[in-house]
Amino acid sequence: MEQKVTQNNAKSIIEAYVGKKLEAMRDNPDRETRNLVDLALGLSAGRFQKHFLSIAHSMLEDESSPYYVLIHDAIKNVGTANILKFGMNIGYNSFTAGANTIRKLEKERGYNIPWVITFYVDDKSFSEEFYAEAIKQGKKLGIYTYVFFCESIPEKLTEIFDDETECAFILFSDAENIGKGILTQASEIKNLMLCVKYSESATEVCEQLRRDKALYSLWYEYVENPMCEKLLNSADELHPIMTFFVKENDDYIGYNDVYSEVCNLRDTRIAASAPMEFTGTCRMVDEIISDDACIAVFDETGKLISVENSGRDCNFRNQPLTEIFEMCYPKAVK
């Protein structure tokens, strides 16, 4: 109990400080961003924080860095509360407090715990109680980031986002399936980043999200190596925070070449928006947090689909996450 109180106090202090800095960035975004990164780097203790902040520090040393354009645009056109809430839920709850819990439990139990869980959902098979329960179980394991891929977005999904205020949610969908309900709510759900699939229909959706100061990104689905730089330049016209490349067919293999290309573009490109290859990034973060990289992805029926050649039929709808992870993600023998 005492440790939890101490963590809550630390989070409150950090959140108040970051909130002030975000407001100050409106007047001097370049200087305040560098100051915030420098301070965070000096105070960071975890492996992931040091890794990420060192990259950010290196990028921002160049005063002509295109990421200053991204920062200026975000500070001006995304709600401060949205940036703060989503950022704290990812940066502190997932990458700091959550990562500490994951490392501690992995050492005690001998199996891997992913830092993020991805759900594929559809309207027909969606049941709020299953997902709400899975997230409650996940938080006890240190998991505070959840990704949803939706062909059609269940109405009750936003109720989960509202209830789980300490979690960060990333919702991927086609522009055509993002109805007025989620569009009008997107800026009000501070712990949500909405990811819109790039298409002709994406322009109108992104323009409304931008008017409402919502936090949003874009994504492309690829089969083989796409023309990443050309696609990124097109995506930048819609002002996303990030642009994700997502491997088609849920096979979670064959992404390495695209991941390498996107990492290179993130360091060298002149256009603004942070490019990410989805699977490679999820695995990279997990490997930094706990050495062994693992990802957990469940299909629309609740079945785990991200374990290669496991031959196991694991389903979060009728099994606890601890049982699934123990069975499917044993720690590697050193």
Side-chain angles (χ1 to χ4, degrees), residues 6 8 11 20 22 33 51 90 93 95 111 136 141 202 212 218 232 243 258 264 285 303:
T6 302
N8 287 340
K11 182 186 175 185
K20 290 181 180 179
L22 286 173
T33 300
H51 177 87
I90 285 273
N93 293 350
F95 295 156
Y111 58 82
K136 285 182 171 58
L141 298 173
D212 292 343
L218 285 174
L232 286 167
T243 301
V258 177
N264 181 61
V285 172
K303 182 180 178 180

Side-chain angles (χ1 to χ4, degrees), residues 149 172 195 198 218-235 242-248 255 258-259 261-263 265-266 269 273-282:
F149 281 88
F172 288 78
C195 293
Y198 188 84
L218 285 174
W219 66 289
Y220 291 95
E221 190 173 50
Y222 70 91
V223 180
E224 298 178 352
N225 287 14
M227 299 176 64
C228 293
E229 188 165 18
K230 182 178 180 180
L231 293 175
L232 286 167
N233 290 335
S234 299
M242 299 179 186
T243 301
F244 290 93
F245 292 86
V246 180
K247 185 76 164 60
E248 191 184 45
Y255 61 84
V258 177
Y259 175 69
E261 181 181 355
V262 168
C263 286
L265 287 169
R266 193 158 60 234
R269 65 191 296 261
S273 98
M276 301 284 174
E277 198 287 324
F278 179 74
T279 302
T281 300
C282 288

Side-chain angles (χ1 to χ4, degrees), residues 27 32 69 107 121 136 139 144 223-224 251 255-256 299 327:
D27 296 325
E32 295 297 340
V69 177
K107 185 176 181 180
V121 304
K136 285 182 171 58
K139 288 194 301 180
Y144 284 86
V223 180
E224 298 178 352
D251 57 10
Y255 61 84
N256 285 323
D299 70 11
M327 183 183 301

Side-chain angles (χ1 to χ4, degrees), residues 178-306:
I178 300 175
K180 290 184 178 180
I182 188 67
L183 273 180
T184 56
Q185 294 180 70
S187 63
E188 300 301 319
I189 305 174
K190 310 303 182 187
N191 56 343
L192 171 67
M193 180 166 69
L194 187 58
C195 293
V196 184
K197 190 172 185 180
Y198 188 84
S199 67
E200 291 183 2
S201 305
T203 300
E204 184 178 351
V205 171
C206 290
E207 286 176 350
Q208 180 169 340
L209 291 168
R210 187 170 171 84
R211 286 195 300 269
D212 292 343
K213 295 187 179 296
L215 182 65
Y216 70 92
S217 293
L218 285 174
W219 66 289
Y220 291 95
E221 190 173 50
Y222 70 91
V223 180
E224 298 178 352
N225 287 14
M227 299 176 64
C228 293
E229 188 165 18
K230 182 178 180 180
L231 293 175
L232 286 167
N233 290 335
S234 299
D236 283 336
E237 296 175 3
L238 301 183
H239 306 283
I241 295 292
M242 299 179 186
T243 301
F244 290 93
F245 292 86
V246 180
K247 185 76 164 60
E248 191 184 45
N249 295 329
D250 309 338
D251 57 10
Y252 305 100
I253 58 175
Y255 61 84
N256 285 323
D257 288 344
V258 177
Y259 175 69
S260 297
E261 181 181 355
V262 168
C263 286
N264 181 61
L265 287 169
R266 193 158 60 234
D267 295 335
T268 60
R269 65 191 296 261
I270 59 172
S273 98
M276 301 284 174
E277 198 287 324
F278 179 74
T279 302
T281 300
C282 288
R283 291 181 65 90
M284 177 272 292
V285 172
D286 201 85
E287 189 170 14
I288 294 170
I289 287 175
S290 58
D291 294 329
D292 298 342
C294 76
I295 56 174
V297 185
F298 295 91
D299 70 11
E300 293 86 347
T301 69
K303 182 180 178 180
L304 183 71
I305 57 174
S306 52

Side-chain angles (χ1 to χ4, degrees), residues 308-324:
E308 298 171 26
N309 304 317
S310 69
R312 298 185 178 96
D313 188 9
C314 295
N315 193 306
F316 77 88
R317 298 190 180 208
N318 52 43
Q319 291 173 274
L321 291 179
T322 51
E323 182 179 305
I324 294 172

